[in-house]
Each structure stands twice: as structure tokens, then as C-alpha cells.
């Protein structure tokens, strides 16, 4: 229990630092872009918009990595002597910390263990698979949002360049628009491989909890996830095999 609590405070402190750096970094770039826009009075300043977006996205993604790594480690501790998931989750959620809402959100991702009993090993492995799957689905949504956000943030500089160079020359930039869905697909594929690495040992051991696992997968947030990706995850978990990307 002490190890899990220590890990929780270390993770919370790292998330606080990450948010501070992200907020100051994004705000600093925005202020710099505004100052350059007033001083230089050049449309080239619009090229900073994608970098401002990426700065915010990077720190948001790092926060996700911190939270998911914490959850993965806590689930790995579950089953060790002296550790009760129900007691630990209640202690984290009810702690009177200034960021108690963040702690409650972290505890809310943990499995319900109201009776404080230790489940069978297949059930614990099932929860680890579900945790990794939920994190991967969130990563895919982040990747796709990043690809779309960068594209939208690039439109102002693209419009300014089209006016500066003339519309005929601007048509040469249109093929680059095809890179947006390609980037989203490539990043989603990366989330798929990360998920497989996380669950490779557990996928072969979920047969005893297959029925419960199928129902739990239906309750996950599949919004903005393409149907083909949902099929890939479903077949990999319930069929105990992976599909080529």
C-alpha cells in the first residue's frame, strides 16, 4: 500500500509540474506571436499558430502518459500481499488535497472493489487488459485530434501564402492535405502496437473472464474511434489474435 501511495503523490506532483510548464509555454508562445504580429506586421507570424497548438498538445499527451503509467503500475501491484484495491482507491478519492478532483478522477479509473476482497488472477488480468485498452482508445482520439488541429492551425498561414503567391501557385500545396489522414492513421497504428506490448502476456490468459471482458469492452468510450479500429481491438482481445495494420 505504501508503494502505491508514494507513487500516487509522485505522479500528482509530476502532473502539476507538467501543467505549469505547459501553461507557461503555450501562453508564452501566444504572447510572443502577438508581440511579433504588432512589431513585425508580417503574415509570417501566422506560422507560429501550429507550434502553439503543438505545445499545448505535447503537454496534454504527457499528462496522459503520466496518468496511464500510474494506473498500469497500481494494477500491477494488485494481488501483492498487504494491498487492497478498494481501500487504496477510497483513500485516494477521499484525501483532502487541494487537487482532490484530480485525485478522484485518478481513483475513478481503478476497478471497483467494494468488498475489498482479492479477485482471482484472471479477473485482475482482465482489468489490466481493459485499462490498457481504454488508454489506447484515448491515445487514438488524441492523435486524430492532433492531426486535425495542426491542419486547422495551418490554414491561416496557407491562406496568407495563397494571397501572397497567387492562387495558381497555392494549388501545389493541396497534396499536403493528404498527409493529415495519413498522419492520423500512422499515429493510431502506434497506439495499437503500444497496446499489444502492454497486454501481450495478459491476452492469452483472459479465457476464464472472456464473457465479462466482452461486456466490459462494450461499456468503454468508443466515440470518435473508426469501426475498423474497434474491430481490430475486439478480435485481438476476444479472438486472442492480432490483425495486421
Amino acid at each position: 500500500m505504501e508503494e502505491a501511495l508514494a507513487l500516487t503523490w509522485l505522479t500528482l506532483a509530476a502532473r502539476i509540474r507538467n501543467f505549469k510548464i505547459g501553461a507557461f509555454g503555450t501562453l508564452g508562445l501566444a504572447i510572443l506571436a502577438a508581440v511579433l504580429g504588432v512589431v513585425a506586421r508580417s503574415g509570417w507570424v501566422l506560422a507560429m499558430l501550429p507550434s502553439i497548438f503543438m505545445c499545448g498538445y505535447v503537454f496534454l499527451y504527457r499528462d496522459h502518459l503520466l496518468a496511464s503509467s500510474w494506473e498500469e503500475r497500481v494494477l500491477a501491484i494488485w494481488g501483492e500481499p498487504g494491498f487492497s484495491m478498494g481501500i487504496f482507491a477510497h483513500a485516494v478519492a477521499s484525501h483532502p488535497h487541494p487537487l482532490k478532483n484530480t485525485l478522484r478522477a485518478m481513483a475513478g479509473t481503478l476497478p471497483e472493489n467494494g468488498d475489498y476482497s482479492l479477485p482471482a488472477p484472471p479477473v485482475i488480468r482482465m482489468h489490466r487488459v481493459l485499462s490498457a485498452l481504454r488508454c489506447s482508445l484515448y491515445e487514438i482520439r488524441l492523435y486524430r485530434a492532433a492531426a486535425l488541429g495542426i491542419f486547422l492551425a495551418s490554414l491561416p498561414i496557407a491562406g496568407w501564402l495563397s494571397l501572397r503567391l497567387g492562387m495558381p501557385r497555392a494549388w501545389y500545396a493541396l497534396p499536403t492535405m493528404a498527409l493529415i489522414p495519413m498522419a492520423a492513421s500512422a499515429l493510431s497504428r502506434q497506439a495499437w502496437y503500444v497496446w499489444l506490448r502492454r497486454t501481450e502476456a495478459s491476452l492469452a490468459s483472459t479465457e476464464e473472464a472472456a464473457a465479462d471482458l466482452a461486456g466490459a469492452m462494450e461499456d468503454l468510450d468508443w466515440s470518435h474511434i473508426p469501426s475498423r479500429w474497434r474491430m481490430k481491438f475486439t478480435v485481438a482481445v476476444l479472438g486472442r489474435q492480432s490483425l495486421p495494420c
Side-chain angles (χ1 to χ4, degrees), residues 2 22 50 60 84 114 129 144 163 175 179 186 188 196 230 236-238:
E2 292 79 7
L60 179 63
S84 171
V129 171
R144 295 172 66 85
L163 294 176
L179 296 177
S188 298
L196 283 180
R230 180 168 183 170
V237 173
L238 302 181

Side-chain angles (χ1 to χ4, degrees), residues 31-110:
I31 294 175
L32 178 61
V35 171
L36 290 177
V38 173
V39 175
R41 297 182 181 276
S42 172
W44 288 108
V45 178
L46 295 173
M48 292 189 65
L49 293 180
S51 63
I52 295 174
F53 175 86
M54 278 301 300
C55 181
Y57 169 78
V58 166
F59 289 104
L60 179 63
Y61 181 70
R62 185 170 184 271
D63 178 72
H64 162 70
L65 291 182
L66 289 170
S68 60
S69 298
W70 169 83
E71 182 180 352
E72 183 179 357
R73 179 54 188 155
V74 170
L75 289 175
I77 297 174
W78 198 12
E80 294 184 359
F83 180 81
S84 171
M85 182 63 73
I87 296 176
F88 172 73
H90 178 73
V92 171
S94 60
H95 193 278
H97 193 276
L99 296 178
K100 56 184 178 182
N101 290 334
T102 301
L103 287 173
R104 288 174 183 171
M106 292 171 63
T109 62
L110 299 176

